[in-house]
Amino acid sequence: MRNFRNIILISFFLVTAFEASAQRKREKNKITPETGPAKKEAALDVKQAEYNKSKDHHLKAQDKATRKRMKQTKKKAERHSWGKDVPWYKRWFRKDKF
């Protein structure tokens, strides 16, 4: 009888221990239509449209000589530094050589 009671107590504690160690699902991690990928993509499109609108406004505010100088500076930057986020000495000795 005493062994039976000990077995019941041990099994009770084991069952409650497994339930206590399980991780709960949090509300902020659940994917809903309001937080899904389509909503994020739409928000990104709106943000990109606002950026392009402000960029166009900035370019239209400049005179012709300034726009020409900006274009030349951008081309020079593309030639010299675009895509070179790693120093030359690290690019030389890495495996893929890109």
Side-chain angles (χ1 to χ4, degrees), residues 81-95:
S81 66
W82 282 31
K84 298 181 182 176
D85 52 347
V86 182
W88 61 270
Y89 54 88
K90 288 187 178 180
R91 278 185 275 131
W92 274 13
F93 298 107
R94 66 180 172 193
K95 209 176 222 184

Side-chain angles (χ1 to χ4, degrees), residues 32-49:
T32 61
E34 292 83 23
T35 61
K39 183 73 172 185
K40 290 179 183 177
E41 188 175 316
L44 187 63
D45 289 342
V46 169
K47 190 174 181 180
Q48 188 66 34

